[in-house]
Amino acid sequence: MTQLPLKISLILFLFQAVVSAQTKDMAYIEGGRYVPLYGRDSTVVEVADFEMDIYPVTQKDYLSFVKKHPKWQKTKALSLFVDKSYLSDWENDLKIKTTTNNNSPVTYVSWFAAKAYCECQGKRLPTIDEWEFVAMSDEDTKDARLKPDYNRRILEWYETPKTNNNTIGQNQKNIWGVHDLHGLVWEWTLDFNAILISGESRKDVDDDPNLFCGSAAVNATDLMNYAAFMRYAIRGSLKAKYAMKNLGFRCVKSTN
């Protein structure tokens, strides 16, 4: 009988260690239902539980990736998957420019490259619904989109230059414990073109290679959501091989 509490304590310790290892640098997102700020109607979308990287992928993270996977280095990546801007803030294949902050989000990365990075980590890019579901929260509210301060802060970010070179984690984490969905860079998602291209179904062109980056909006359900329309205006012409200085990414992982 005296050994039982010790065994229970040991089991709990091991369980907590496993959970900690599984969620290191990731936040657990409890899924739910929400109404997107885009689309032709106000259809409620169901989002399953998943995990999301707490921070966007950094320059030094991506450097480690290309060292292990040379085919994604600056001069070796196929032009089919990257444009001429790919890693243009790097000095060469294995050296980041001294003017670039190693702890800032990696940018000038195409959708193809971002997707490959996530898959090599045993993860994937978030769907647009997963990204929006987490990004609609602030520090203490899961859906902060009706708060004037929420959209005001996003619009202020749009007016601030060179945020792409800022260190990750300096922006307040949201209620899920995720940093920098707003305030540093735009972020790629897996399936965004399903909304912008099809005009009918958000899910009918998931395999189309001309994917768009996340957090844009068209036909927003709230016409006063200027922040969403600004995002759409900036990204509306992007294709999967494009790269730009304020476009990065982060990874997610399904929990089942």
Side-chain angles (χ1 to χ4, degrees), residues 28 40 50 71 156 202-203 238 249:
Y28 178 78
R40 293 186 176 277
F50 66 101
K71 70 178 182 179
E156 288 177 352
R202 296 162 54 189
K203 308 301 180 186
L238 288 177
F249 69 99

Side-chain angles (χ1 to χ4, degrees), residues 180-197:
D180 304 324
L181 287 168
H182 305 292
L184 287 185
V185 295
W186 313 108
E187 295 186 2
W188 284 110
T189 63
L190 185 63
D191 61 344
F192 198 75
N193 73 314
I195 301 166
L196 302 181
I197 294 177

Side-chain angles (χ1 to χ4, degrees), residues 166-210:
N166 291 345
T167 300
I168 63 169
Q170 300 302 302
N171 295 300
Q172 178 66 41
K173 65 182 178 182
N174 66 18
I175 197 170
W176 301 106
V178 177
H179 290 262
D180 304 324
L181 287 168
H182 305 292
L184 287 185
V185 295
W186 313 108
E187 295 186 2
W188 284 110
T189 63
L190 185 63
D191 61 344
F192 198 75
N193 73 314
I195 301 166
L196 302 181
I197 294 177
S198 70
E200 296 178 359
S201 170
R202 296 162 54 189
K203 308 301 180 186
D204 61 0
V205 287
D206 284 354
D207 294 329
D208 193 306
N210 294 326

Side-chain angles (χ1 to χ4, degrees), residues 209-256:
N210 294 326
L211 296 175
F212 290 79
C213 61
S215 74
V218 62
N219 296 322
T221 54
D222 180 4
L223 296 180
M224 297 302 291
N225 187 5
Y226 298 115
F229 280 109
M230 287 284 289
R231 294 194 289 268
Y232 169 69
I234 290 174
R235 301 165 179 197
S237 63
L238 288 177
K239 292 187 177 181
K241 66 183 292 183
Y242 288 5
M244 52 191 288
K245 73 174 182 179
N246 58 345
L247 175 58
F249 69 99
R250 74 180 71 212
C251 310
V252 303
K253 182 168 60 176
S254 301
T255 58
N256 50 25

Side-chain angles (χ1 to χ4, degrees), residues 34-39 41-45 129 132 145 195 202 220-222:
Y34 87 112
V35 178
L37 290 174
Y38 47 78
D41 52 42
S42 56
T43 301
V44 175
V45 173
D129 287 323
E132 291 285 348
R145 292 174 296 179
I195 301 166
R202 296 162 54 189
T221 54
D222 180 4

